[in-house]
Amino acid sequence: MIADKMVNLVKNSSAIRAMFEEGKIMAAKYGAENVYDFSLGNPNVPAPAEVKQAVYEELEKEDPVVLHGYMNNSGYEDVRGAIAASINKRFGTAFGEQNIIMTVGAAGGLNVILKTLLNPGDEVIVIAPYFGEYNSYVSNYDGKIVVVSPNTETFQPNLEELEQKITAKTKAVIINSPNNPTGVVYSEDTIKKMADILRGKEKELGTDIYLISDEPYRELVYDGIEVPYLTKYYENAIIGYSYSKSLSLPGERIGYLVIPDEVSDAEDVIAAANVATRILGYVNAPSLMQKVVAKCLDAKVDVPFYNRNREALYNGLKELGFECIKPEGAFYLFVKSPVEDEKAFCAAAKKHNILIVPGSSFACPGYVRIAYCVSYETIMNSMPGFKALAEEFQVK
C-alpha cells in the first residue's frame, strides 16, 4: 500500500498535468494541428541562441570530471557570484555568492526553503488565485496552507484579509508576481503596504514572518511594466527564481534562491537551506546547466512573441464577449466563465478540441486559465471554437 498522505495527492493530482496528458492523446487522434492545447505553461519559444552556444562551450572547454562532478550543495562559487553580481547590477542590491543557492528550478527552491523554515503546524499564507502545487509543497513539511480569497476586480492581493489571517503560527507568505494564473503584476504600492503589514505583525506577535517570492515569470512583462524586487521593500524577503520561462528551459530544472543577509537568522537559514538541498535528494542543482545559465545572464527570451499572442487572444476573446483582464506579465489569460461551474465550461470547450484549465485549480472557481505560450497559429485557429462556445453560452 502507498502512504496515506499519497492517497489524496494521487486522487487530487494536478488538473493541469492531467489536461496536458489528455491533449497528447487527442493530438494523436485528431492531429496536433487540430487540437488547441492551452493547458500547460510549456514555452513554445526556443531558448535564446546564447544557451546553445554556452552548452557547446562548456562541453568542449571544461574538464568533464569537473563539469559533471559534485560541487558544494549550494552550487558552483563562480556561478553564484556571477548571478549575485547580475542581480546587484539590475536592482541595486548588494548580494554576494553566499546569498545565492542554486536549485532544481523554482519548485525545488520553494521546497528547500519550506523545509528550512517550517515546523509541523506552521502556517503559510497564499493569495488566491495561486499555483495549486503550493498546497503540496507546504504539506510536504506538515505545514498548513491559509488562503486569502481572490480580489476579482483587480487580482491585486486582498491586503485587509491578509492582515486578518496572520497569526502567531504564520511562518511565511508566498506571493507570485507576475502571477500564474492571472498575469497580474503586484504593484509597488501593493508591495509597500504588504511589507508594512508584515512588519507590524512581526512586532505585534514577536515572531519572524518570511515573505517568499516565487518569480519564474519576472522577465515576461509587457508595456514597460516593472516588477518590484522584494528585498528592497522587506527585510525578511526570500526570492525563488527559475530559468524555465526566462530562457525557455523548463525541462532543465535550473534556478536559485536569494537569501539576503538582512533575513532574520540569515546564517542559520542559509546553512539549513544548504543541508535541505542535500537531504531532500537534490544534492545540488544540475552542474552543466549551472555553468550554462551563468553565461546567459544577459540573454533574453522572445517576449514580443508572447506579446503578439497576448494581444491576439485577449482582443479575440473580448470581441466575442468574454470577460477578462489584460495580463501585464507571464503568459496566461484568466477568463471569467460564462457559467458558475467553470468545469462545465471546460468540458464544453473540449468538444471543440480546446483544452483550458478550471480556476478551481487555483482556488478561484468561476474562471478558467488559458496558457498562450503556444504558436500564434494555434490561437488564431482556435477562434472559431471559442466563437461557437460564445454562442452556446450566449456570451454578450
Side-chain angles (χ1 to χ4, degrees), residues 125-273:
I125 296 177
V126 293
I127 298 165
Y130 66 93
F131 182 49
E133 298 286 17
Y134 295 162
N135 297 326
S136 299
Y137 301 163
V138 171
S139 173
N140 284 343
Y141 314 106
D142 297 317
K144 178 185 176 184
I145 281 277
V146 176
V147 181
V148 173
S149 59
N151 168 6
T152 55
E153 289 187 13
T154 65
F155 289 104
Q156 293 285 320
N158 186 334
L159 296 179
E160 183 176 338
E161 184 177 334
L162 169 66
E163 185 170 14
Q164 292 170 353
K165 289 192 169 177
I166 295 173
T167 73
K169 291 185 177 181
T170 302
K171 180 60 70 73
V173 177
I174 299 177
I175 66 170
N176 170 222
S177 172
N179 179 258
N180 173 13
T182 65
V184 165
V185 173
Y186 294 170
S187 69
E188 184 178 44
D189 183 59
T190 290
I191 296 303
K192 286 181 176 179
K193 290 177 179 177
M194 183 181 294
D196 287 342
I197 289 169
L198 296 180
R199 282 193 203 93
K201 283 294 183 178
E202 284 184 323
K203 185 175 182 180
E204 173 190 334
L205 299 169
T207 60
D208 291 314
I209 302 172
Y210 296 90
L211 181 58
I212 302 170
S213 184
D214 181 23
E215 300 192 353
Y217 303 99
R218 168 169 284 280
E219 273 66 53
L220 272 61
V221 288
Y222 314 102
D223 303 328
I225 294 286
E226 292 189 8
V227 183
Y229 204 79
L230 259 66
T231 64
K232 300 171 71 173
Y233 300 90
Y234 184 62
E235 295 76 14
N236 271 336
I238 295 170
I239 309 296
Y241 184 83
S242 169
Y243 293 96
S244 292
K245 319 302 183 184
S246 63
L247 292 181
S248 289
L249 298 173
E252 302 296 350
R253 311 312 305 140
I254 185 68
Y256 59 79
L257 285 171
V258 181
I259 305 176
D261 292 334
E262 291 77 15
V263 164
S264 295
D265 303 317
E267 287 189 15
D268 288 342
V269 173
I270 291 169

Side-chain angles (χ1 to χ4, degrees), residues 71-387:
M71 78 297 297
N72 291 348
N73 297 133
S74 53
Y76 290 113
E77 290 89 342
D78 60 330
V79 171
R80 292 185 286 124
I83 289 172
S86 176
I87 296 171
N88 295 340
K89 180 180 178 181
R90 293 176 62 196
F91 304 113
T93 50
F95 302 128
E97 67 181 58
Q98 76 279 2
N99 301 118
I100 309 296
I101 295 179
M102 302 305 296
T103 64
V104 183
L110 288 175
N111 274 273
V112 165
I113 199 61
L114 291 171
K115 175 70 172 175
T116 296
L117 297 177
L118 294 186
N119 290 309
D122 281 348
E123 295 175 350
V124 177
I125 296 177
V126 293
I127 298 165
Y130 66 93
F131 182 49
E133 298 286 17
Y134 295 162
N135 297 326
S136 299
Y137 301 163
V138 171
S139 173
N140 284 343
Y141 314 106
D142 297 317
K144 178 185 176 184
I145 281 277
V146 176
V147 181
V148 173
S149 59
N151 168 6
T152 55
E153 289 187 13
T154 65
F155 289 104
Q156 293 285 320
N158 186 334
L159 296 179
E160 183 176 338
E161 184 177 334
L162 169 66
E163 185 170 14
Q164 292 170 353
K165 289 192 169 177
I166 295 173
T167 73
K169 291 185 177 181
T170 302
K171 180 60 70 73
V173 177
I174 299 177
I175 66 170
N176 170 222
S177 172
N179 179 258
N180 173 13
T182 65
V184 165
V185 173
Y186 294 170
S187 69
E188 184 178 44
D189 183 59
T190 290
I191 296 303
K192 286 181 176 179
K193 290 177 179 177
M194 183 181 294
D196 287 342
I197 289 169
L198 296 180
R199 282 193 203 93
K201 283 294 183 178
E202 284 184 323
K203 185 175 182 180
E204 173 190 334
L205 299 169
T207 60
D208 291 314
I209 302 172
Y210 296 90
L211 181 58
I212 302 170
S213 184
D214 181 23
E215 300 192 353
Y217 303 99
R218 168 169 284 280
E219 273 66 53
L220 272 61
V221 288
Y222 314 102
D223 303 328
I225 294 286
E226 292 189 8
V227 183
Y229 204 79
L230 259 66
T231 64
K232 300 171 71 173
Y233 300 90
Y234 184 62
E235 295 76 14
N236 271 336
I238 295 170
I239 309 296
Y241 184 83
S242 169
Y243 293 96
S244 292
K245 319 302 183 184
S246 63
L247 292 181
S248 289
L249 298 173
E252 302 296 350
R253 311 312 305 140
I254 185 68
Y256 59 79
L257 285 171
V258 181
I259 305 176
D261 292 334
E262 291 77 15
V263 164
S264 295
D265 303 317
E267 287 189 15
D268 288 342
V269 173
I270 291 169
N274 273 282
V275 172
T277 300
R278 184 176 74 250
I279 66 176
L280 285 174
Y282 304 125
V283 181
N284 53 256
S287 58
L288 172 61
M289 295 315 299
Q290 287 190 50
K291 292 290 189 177
V292 167
V293 296
K295 290 188 171 184
C296 299
L297 296 175
D298 295 322
K300 292 181 173 57
V301 77
D302 188 1
V303 175
F305 174 97
Y306 293 127
N307 188 47
R308 183 189 186 198
N309 285 359
R310 178 184 72 132
E311 296 286 355
L313 185 62
Y314 173 78
N315 292 329
L317 294 187
K318 289 288 284 186
E319 288 173 8
L320 291 172
F322 289 100
E323 294 182 40
C324 50
I325 60 169
K326 194 169 188 179
E328 299 169 306
F331 40 51
Y332 305 108
L333 193 65
F334 207 50
V335 181
K336 186 173 178 60
S337 171
V339 289
E340 185 175 351
D341 180 5
E342 86 281 7
K343 292 182 181 178
F345 181 62
C346 292
K350 198 184 302 181
K351 296 176 184 177
H352 299 277
N353 289 353
I354 295 173
L355 300 178
I356 52 182
V357 180
S360 50
S361 296
F362 307 94
C364 190
Y367 288 78
V368 298
R369 190 193 77 171
I370 305 175
Y372 56 83
C373 50
V374 297
S375 71
Y376 180 73
E377 291 72 24
T378 295
I379 290 174
M380 299 311 295
N381 292 339
S382 71
M383 282 301 154
F386 279 115
K387 182 178 180 182

